[in-house]
């Protein structure tokens, strides 16, 4: 059985990760690739419970190290119960965020020691990492405005308010944007940066082209 491919979508708030992930998922299914869609924090029963602790409440709810450990605990459960079993069955796994988010948000954003984060990542995931990481990049001002609009909609729909990170301030978001760009620079083979100031359709076709090229796919499978 050939192991499936593992693709992560990354980036700051409001870059349209979820929309693009849905689109790629449908495209892969249309050429008969078996794919699952998942997210972090979350993606398994236990990790979804931890997610609620992380995305709700005031920004100062956790100190940066505690927050890091909660993300890592959630990731460990996600890998063990969702990601690895799927890859071993030959399924492709598309995840909305993975460990680069910890380096960007907790490392660059909150200033947690980057070497300690690398060691933790090794402890939690071993050498496992995505085959490809798509980083959706957007100026902070535009991203936060989009995220605010989404949060207002969530309140209207009574869907709970997952806005803890959106409320962390523009400086924090500038640092993590720089973090994602540095991560891409240091991992050129794995990461691609997508400028999301373009139209949704243009972004979709760029992502599809790059994924097809990377994995040797064509429109007829
Ligand atoms: P989401 O809004 O993309 O669903 O992600 C929830 C929040 O969690 C988002 O603001 C980024 C944050 N996050 C971290 O701070 N560190 C991490 O390791 C992950 C996976 C997410």
């Amino acid at each position: 059985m050939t192991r499936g491919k593992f693709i992560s979508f990354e980036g700051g708030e409001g870059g349209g990760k979820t929309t693009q992930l849905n689109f790629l998922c449908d495209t892969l299914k249309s050429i008969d690739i078996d794919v699952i869609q998942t997210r972090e924090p979350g993606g398994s029963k236990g990790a979804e419970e931890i997610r609620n602790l992380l995305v709700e409440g005031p920004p100062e709810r956790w100190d940066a190290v505690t927050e890091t450990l909660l993300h890592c605990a959630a990731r460990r459960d996600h890998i063990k119960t969702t990601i690895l079993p799927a890859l071993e069955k030959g399924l492709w796994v598309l995840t909305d965020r993975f460990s680069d988010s910890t380096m960007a948000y907790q490392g660059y954003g909150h200033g947690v020691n980057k070497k300690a984060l690398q060691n933790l990542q090794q402890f939690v995931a071993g050498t496992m990492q995505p085959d490809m990481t798509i980083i959706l990049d957007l100026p902070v001002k535009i991203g936060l405005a989009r995220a605010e609009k989404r949060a207002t909609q969530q309140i209207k729909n009574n869907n709970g308010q997952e806005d803890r990170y959106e409320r962390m301030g523009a400086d924090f978001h500038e640092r993590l944007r720089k973090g994602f760009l540095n991560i891409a620079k240091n991992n050129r083979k794995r990461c691609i940066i997508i400028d999301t100031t373009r139209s949704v359709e243009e972004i979709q076709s760029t992502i599809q082209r790059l994924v097809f090229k990377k994995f040797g796919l064509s429109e007829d499978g």
Side-chain angles (χ1 to χ4, degrees):
M1 167 73 64
T2 320
R3 194 182 158 96
K5 302 293 179 200
F6 181 31
I7 303 176
S8 59
F9 281 72
E10 296 278 9
E13 312 298 323
K17 277 181 294 93
T18 314
T19 307
Q20 294 300 336
L21 192 148
N22 287 338
F23 178 77
L24 181 62
C25 194
D26 289 345
T27 306
L28 293 174
K29 283 181 185 161
S30 76
I31 55 166
D32 288 333
I33 290 180
D34 289 324
V35 48
I36 64 158
Q37 201 172 324
T38 185
R39 68 170 181 181
E40 287 203 352
S44 63
K45 190 171 176 294
E48 287 291 332
E49 288 179 23
I50 299 173
R51 178 186 176 92
N52 294 334
L53 299 174
L54 283 159
V55 298
E56 293 174 5
E60 65 283 2
R61 180 174 187 183
W62 308 108
D63 93 297
V65 174
T66 313
E67 184 175 300
T68 301
L69 295 172
L70 285 169
H71 278 294
C72 287
R75 178 160 309 124
R76 174 78 184 173
D77 193 63
H78 185 210
I79 291 172
K80 292 288 277 186
T81 63
T82 304
I83 300 177
L84 276 182
L87 291 175
E88 277 159 14
K89 273 192 237 151
L91 301 177
W92 287 39
V93 176
L94 304 189
T95 185
D96 191 334
R97 299 193 183 281
F98 193 62
S99 51
D100 294 321
S101 278
T102 308
M103 184 55 83
Y105 279 77
Q106 281 66 52
Y108 286 87
H110 287 318
V112 176
N113 183 282
K114 296 188 181 62
K115 186 74 201 148
L117 291 181
Q118 280 166 354
N119 290 339
L120 256 177
Q121 172 60 12
Q122 168 76 27
F123 183 54
V124 167
T127 54
M128 186 197 157
Q129 63 169 5
D131 298 297
M132 182 176 194
T133 295
I134 297 163
I135 298 176
L136 300 183
D137 179 57
L138 187 66
V140 166
K141 233 176 150 176
I142 305 177
L144 285 180
R146 283 192 197 164
E148 198 177 318
K149 213 166 144 195
R150 187 183 57 198
T152 312
Q153 201 56 46
Q154 278 175 353
I155 297 171
K156 273 197 197 142
N157 297 344
N158 247 343
N159 276 345
Q161 207 176 343
E162 294 197 338
D163 65 349
R164 183 167 164 262
Y165 284 93
E166 281 91 327
R167 292 198 275 146
M168 284 184 186
D171 287 354
F172 173 82
H173 289 277
E174 291 290 357
R175 288 196 296 280
L176 72 89
R177 181 184 187 203
K178 195 174 131 222
F180 277 122
L181 296 177
N182 274 346
I183 290 167
K185 208 159 58 183
N186 297 334
N187 296 275
R188 286 183 199 275
K189 271 203 175 147
R190 174 172 64 87
C191 299
I192 53 160
I193 296 175
I194 304 283
D195 168 6
T196 61
T197 54
R198 295 172 304 153
S199 74
V200 173
E201 293 74 21
E202 276 177 289
I203 300 166
Q204 283 172 354
S205 67
T206 306
I207 292 177
Q208 177 176 333
R209 183 173 47 76
L210 293 169
V211 169
F212 276 37
K213 185 166 170 232
K214 170 112 181 169
F215 299 111
L217 303 174
S218 68
E219 302 274 345
D220 2 278

